[in-house]
Amino acid sequence: MATEKGGVYQRGEFWLDLDRGAGGKPNSSSWYIFWYDPGRGRQRRKSTGTADVRLACDALDEHYLAAHRPTSREQDCYTVPEAMTDYWLEHGSKQASAEAIKSRLKLFNRFIDIEADAGRLSDPFIPDHLDERFLERFRQWAMADPIVTRRKNEKGEWIDGSSRPRKASTVEESIIQLKAALAHAFNARRTRYVPPLKHKTRDQVTPQRTYRLSIDGLAELLDYSMTGAGAYAGHADRLIPLRRFLIGAITTLARPDAILDMGVSRERGQWMQNERRFALNPEGRLQTKKVRPVVPVVDLLHSWLTASDEWLVCGQRQRFDEKQRVHLIEQYRVASIKSGWGGAREKLGIPDGWGPKLLRHSMATILANRRVDLIELEIALGHRPLGKTSSRYAIFDPDYLSTIRDGIEDAVADLTKKVGPALHPKLTRTYENVTVLRA
């Protein structure tokens, strides 16, 4: 770090301070990035556009990373925490999985703090100090450290809630994220060395899980989303988002995050009504390794998309329109169906540890058992992405994923016989006169 320039935060040749006038009085509440420009022979400044000092510090870090070229001396003392922070600022925070990346890095950072407090870390803690022994200590600590939920009490204070054991796969994901951060630092020439760390694969740390839902199991879930399980936690109106999620999962085989991201607005470019196709990856979102394919829209999904104002997975609330003197139903987006799924899992006896992704696995198994084309199944699951050029034309072919479409229609027909009312997008407690779908 360069000589202190004043202000509240400094990195390299840049420092953060308020723009001050005569007598040191700030001219505004916004924080500014200051530096000395030797080419112009004077001090320069740039506004961060925020009065929040934490956001301003992030802005300074981003400015530093974009403008600064590391020296050999800086490469020698570039620390592991700095690598994770810079990776988050430049890459992780901009990804669709940003929240997951943040939690993985946070877990490893917390362990580094514990190791430092115990006097087991060198200062500075650079990548060269990472080895398999350190990773093994991290694994043992993380597995023994439970995941504790936080909630507010009646006074509005944050307190610890329920806890659950941390999975071995979750621990390995933090190690994978650490390796990504170190590789990012190496590519940016901030460090000259990346240790050859090894993470354990999911197959190594996760026992094979064979539990699947049958058509009867899916029907029970849909029925639960209609009838609920009590006056409060499972009231049917509160389970509308869960029912919409179930419809999306059954008809698309998509991952949970993709289902929650299904929108019908023209700007998103997802729903191709005339072609009866749906792009699980909205326009403007970069594809990741977990590919979101284009899938055929079966009749059931079409009816639910038609009944959606903006988002497929949404809640509904009723309001009274004073001008029209009628009650209107408003839809609002939901970020999660965790509570609804938790109630359903407990009520129906789904084993602990199975999340909504069970629906994807179950539908894939159901379709495979019905002898759909396995290559088409891989494409529909996003495991076999089509080339960019060929996909432009393939998705408009009438036979595109035809066995998948027929298999889903066949499964829907069986579900209709068992729980027809739950498949109707308009049927709730206030729509008792709606004719339900028939097989």
Side-chain angles (χ1 to χ4, degrees), residues 173-193:
E173 285 168 357
S174 283
I175 295 176
I176 293 172
Q177 213 68 70
L178 168 69
K179 292 173 62 177
L182 295 176
H184 181 80
F186 180 80
N187 291 334
R189 300 183 180 179
R190 295 179 189 131
T191 183
R192 289 194 294 266
Y193 176 72

Side-chain angles (χ1 to χ4, degrees), residues 22-36:
K25 183 178 179 180
N27 293 322
S28 74
S29 60
S30 292
W31 292 97
Y32 279 74
I33 300 169
F34 289 86
W35 70 96
Y36 180 77

